Amino acid sequence: METYDKGILLESGTNELEVVEFGVGQNKFGINVIKVKEILNPVPVTKVPHAHQSVEGIIEIRGEVVPVVDVAHALGFPPSDQPELDKFILAEFNKTKIVFHVHTVTQIHRISWENIEKPGKMYQGLETQITGVIKRETEMLLMLDFEKMVADINPDSSINVDQMKTLGVRERSQKRILIAEDSAMLRAMLEETLGEAGYENIRSFEDGKEAIDHLLGLVEEGKAVEEEYQLIITDIEMPRMDGHHFTKQVKEDPNMQQIPVIIFSSLITDDLRHKGEIVGANDQISKPEIVELVKKIDQLIL
């Protein structure tokens, strides 16, 4: 069993992250170290009737029952050649613990989000499963969209437009919202769900760099940014510029610092909350708590 010293948690707005490199077949992937609780050697898994095909079953870890996802199966890859050498990655995000069964875990890399490129359409049909590509000297690491993987297996774990029914009849709002979110699936879900909540004037960007360039462009054009957008919602994990660095850029610019920023991320934990506070976020809400997000928007978007 290995655990990781997450010193990077103490820093804010540096636009850096640490990535645990793991392998599935011949492919190298990465997962943000902040999501990783520990690395385990495989243990026997208890099968669960009628489970999703990519769910091997469940295991118990210190009194908690945790599902095990076969990453190779979820990606359409063959099983391990040497299963006795496989590894279990215990991860936590969206306030949920889950084990990802992979074939190898090798090392940790500290990199800048600037060096993570948006995926093209050439990654063996995996483009919908990948949020970023890390190009190294001799290899490429693909950043998997773990939220999408889990949502595909258990749709109830993701944002659901039906949750809006708990808020009752909503009036239409003319207020404009900017969203920075790298997952195409979550961008679409957010737009649909916020539209259902009455917020129809939404403009979405794929990462913080794209969003801040757009806002700075408005400043250069002489436009009052606070009249263009009344609220910003940002994810944390995004290629090129993460949500903490993006928020810091917004809050340090006198032309836009008065716009409320909500960080909406699967990584809102006690360990990370201080990072959002330091960069000036007005609030931080964990995915998939969409009803809480809408309530906070209602408060901030007066």
Side-chain angles (χ1 to χ4, degrees):
M1 179 180 75
E2 302 173 55
T3 57
Y4 292 113
D5 175 16
K6 299 175 185 176
I8 198 165
L9 292 177
L10 301 176
E11 303 168 43
S12 298
T14 63
N15 208 37
E16 290 184 309
L17 79 159
E18 289 178 337
V19 172
V20 177
E21 177 183 333
F22 66 91
V24 178
Q26 300 302 309
N27 295 268
K28 301 292 185 182
F29 296 98
I31 180 172
N32 192 333
V33 74
I34 290 170
K35 288 179 174 165
V36 177
K37 304 295 287 184
E38 56 191 284
I39 308 298
L40 305 161
N41 290 320
V43 297
V45 175
T46 301
K47 301 285 186 183
V48 178
H50 309 297
H52 187 280
Q53 288 183 330
S54 295
V55 175
E56 293 182 31
I58 54 176
I59 62 173
E60 184 178 332
I61 301 177
R62 285 181 292 283
E64 281 191 85
V65 175
V66 183
V68 178
V69 173
D70 183 344
V71 176
H73 186 279
L75 298 177
F77 289 175
S80 173
D81 292 333
Q82 296 179 293
E84 68 278 5
L85 301 179
D86 288 3
K87 295 291 184 183
F88 281 4
I89 299 176
L90 174 62
E92 183 175 15
F93 54 91
N94 287 354
K95 296 183 176 179
T96 302
K97 289 191 174 92
I98 188 165
V99 167
F100 294 107
H101 177 182
V102 302
H103 297 168
T104 59
V105 174
T106 50
Q107 56 188 313
I108 296 178
H109 307 283
R110 183 162 185 163
I111 54 177
S112 169
W113 282 105
E114 291 178 4
N115 296 327
I116 301 181
E117 300 179 8
K118 291 189 285 189
K121 297 186 181 298
M122 62 198 70
Y123 295 99
Q124 303 178 32
L126 290 174
E127 62 273 4
T128 61
Q129 307 282 352
I130 296 169
T131 59
V133 180
I134 305 167
K135 291 184 177 178
R136 299 183 58 76
E137 291 181 6
T138 59
E139 62 185 5
M140 286 189 297
L141 299 185
L142 308 181
M143 294 291 288
L144 280 182
D145 188 343
F146 287 97
E147 283 87 348
K148 181 179 187 300
M149 183 181 296
V150 173
D152 288 344
I153 292 169
N154 179 17
D156 290 340
S157 68
S158 191
I159 295 167
N160 190 329
V161 70
D162 289 340
Q163 293 171 297
M164 290 299 97
K165 293 175 182 176
T166 64
L167 296 175
V169 177
R170 305 277 301 180
E171 294 182 6
R172 302 293 94 184
S173 173
Q174 297 307 307
K175 304 288 186 177
R176 290 190 285 275
I177 296 175
L178 181 150
I179 294 174
E181 166 62 66
D182 65 320
S183 168
M185 175 195 74
L186 288 174
R187 281 198 306 274
M189 285 183 169
L190 269 174
E191 290 176 12
E192 178 187 11
T193 309
L194 294 181
E196 190 71 19
Y199 296 109
E200 298 172 315
N201 295 320
I202 294 172
R203 182 154 184 190
S204 296
F205 296 88
E206 293 184 4
D207 56 59
K209 179 74 165 59
E210 196 175 85
I212 198 67
D213 286 350
H214 168 70
L215 293 171
L216 291 173
L218 294 175
V219 173
E220 288 182 10
E221 293 171 17
K223 294 182 178 178
V225 183
E226 74 274 10
E227 293 180 8
E228 298 293 322
Y229 295 103
Q230 285 72 58
L231 186 119
I232 294 170
I233 299 169
T234 181
D235 188 17
I236 292 177
E237 292 186 289
M238 296 182 289
R240 302 202 298 168
M241 182 183 292
D242 73 1
H244 286 137
H245 194 64
F246 170 51
T247 301
K248 185 179 181 184
Q249 298 272 83
V250 169
K251 290 301 183 178
E252 289 181 349
D253 190 316
N255 294 295
M256 59 185 85
Q257 62 189 188
Q258 64 276 25
I259 302 174
V261 177
I262 300 175
I263 295 177
F264 185 55
S265 168
S266 63
L267 297 180
I268 303 302
T269 63
D270 291 340
D271 285 337
L272 273 182
R273 189 169 292 278
H274 76 280
K275 294 185 73 169
E277 292 169 353
I278 289 170
V279 296
N282 295 80
D283 215 310
Q284 302 175 77
I285 297 170
S286 176
K287 293 174 181 173
E289 303 293 339
I290 189 69
V291 172
E292 292 306 311
L293 176 65
V294 170
K295 288 178 178 177
K296 185 53 62 176
I297 294 171
D298 291 346
Q299 292 175 24
L300 291 173
I301 206 163
L302 303 176

